[in-house]
Amino acid sequence: MKVLFVVPPLAGHINPTVAVAAELTARGHEVAWTGPAEVLPPLLPARATLIPSGERSGPGGYGALHGRWRDLRGAAALRFLWEEALIPLAHGMLPGVDAAVDAYAPDVLVADQQALAGAVVARRRGLPWVTSSTTTAEFTRPFAGFPKVGEWVKERIDGFLAAAGAPGGWDPRFSDRLVLVFSTPELVGAGERWPEHYAFTGPALGARPSDGSSFPWRRLDPVRRRVLVSLGTLNREAGGRFYAAVLRAAERLADRVQLIVAAPADLVGEVRQDHVLLQEYVPQLALLPHLDAVVCHGGHNTVCEALAHGLPLVVAPVRDDQPIVAQQVATCGAGIRVHFGRPRADEVHTALSAVLDDPNHRRAARRVQASFAAAGGAAAAADRLEKLL
């Protein structure tokens, strides 16, 4: 079987495909990726087959696009996401995905929910296609209370389909053959009923390009409880005030908590306290087994990676799907949601103390961890793909 992954230029959307691809390769299948070559190469395994699709996103490329999006919130962020990012990306990727299918001749196409071109190309060519869902926001009826917003998003998608010459009346975010959801109902929402072709596999975790060899492992405190503070790769530049609030909150816990802060030094400032370890980048998957809790922005990958290790969370959502993911964490009991835009040190201190000291949060995190393990991860996703053909 030859599998072509169609991905957007976002690390959190690419990482699960790398784990699934490794499982498929181990079983004797062939894999390749198509997406913007400006971003993908460092995120893919060495010697991965990459067939570029998608033009640069205007002057300055995707970095400039991120800079314009960084400080937006709420409706403004949603509008920017669709009008300035996803729809232009879909149009830009269409010719390249078509060419990739010609060059690679895949048996099945796995299209990320935010890489709409993949579904359109597969449909008009009669190729079996699968949805890769690296966030669960779309499965929670996010616009149920805001029907006009949902209608606006649908209009954007319908407009793209029409412009691409594709038939209307379907949603390229959801395959009717197989939807791979890298989570479980225990986190998304117990009690919901899902179509049989929705496969909840739990997170697909695999090797990352950085192996952690440069991380100062010896500086991890053997006595204090260790907490990672991370806003991911796309939100860190907007986190100056939040980092400051976390550091102030941690001062009152310095005798028993060590913070590992993943952030640029110029945003955090000079750190002299011995209970704070500041690193611009950390090998997150390698580090998680050594931690007791995580403070993050509610990115779906970071949340699921923490819960896969049974770690409770303090979640400060910034935009897009993050408030939904943060609410999922709070609802299942695996963590506490705090403010990002108006961070208060006392609120962060209370939340951090609670997730470290209240055993209920750890028990809830371990329930989700158990559901992830039972779901099967990358192996389960590969199983479903093999059964598709």
Side-chain angles (χ1 to χ4, degrees), residues 111-318:
D112 186 274
Q113 275 191 318
Q114 294 190 357
L116 305 180
V120 168
V121 170
R123 182 168 176 127
R124 67 190 184 190
R125 285 171 168 259
L127 260 177
W129 66 282
V130 174
T131 297
S132 173
S133 301
T134 55
T135 177
T136 54
E138 299 287 357
F139 304 96
T140 61
R141 295 184 293 276
F143 306 126
F146 308 94
K148 290 186 178 180
V149 176
E151 291 172 6
W152 182 85
V153 170
K154 183 178 183 300
E155 288 172 0
R156 306 283 83 70
I157 294 173
D158 289 345
F160 163 66
L161 294 177
W170 65 292
D171 193 330
R173 295 172 297 175
F174 302 98
S175 167
D176 60 1
R177 297 281 299 275
L178 177 60
V179 176
L180 297 174
V181 187
F182 295 107
S183 185
T184 59
E186 283 74 10
L187 180 59
V188 179
E192 292 281 349
R193 299 185 67 178
W194 309 100
E196 290 186 2
H197 69 287
Y198 282 34
F200 286 83
T201 68
L205 307 181
R208 300 284 165 79
S210 172
D211 62 3
S213 59
S214 61
F215 183 77
W217 294 101
R218 292 184 180 181
R219 292 183 60 191
L220 292 180
D221 194 307
V223 177
R224 293 181 173 104
R225 303 179 79 179
R226 296 183 287 265
V227 177
L228 173 65
V229 180
S230 172
L231 297 179
T233 55
L234 296 180
N235 298 285
R236 50 173 47 189
E237 292 89 348
R241 287 190 298 172
F242 184 74
Y243 293 129
V246 172
L247 291 178
R248 290 196 304 273
E251 289 176 0
R252 296 160 61 184
L253 302 170
D255 61 328
R256 62 190 185 97
V257 174
Q258 180 187 34
L259 292 186
I260 298 93
V261 182
D266 59 348
L267 287 177
V268 178
E270 187 175 3
V271 174
R272 296 181 179 178
Q273 303 96 324
D274 65 355
H275 67 283
V276 178
L277 172 56
L278 175 63
Q279 295 284 298
E280 183 165 1
Y281 296 101
V282 301
Q284 186 161 291
L285 280 181
L287 183 60
L288 286 169
H290 304 275
L291 301 177
D292 295 281
V294 172
V295 177
C296 73
H297 59 302
H300 191 261
N301 274 259
T302 298
V303 164
C304 287
E305 288 170 6
L307 291 174
H309 290 82
L311 300 176
L313 297 123
V314 174
V315 189
V318 183

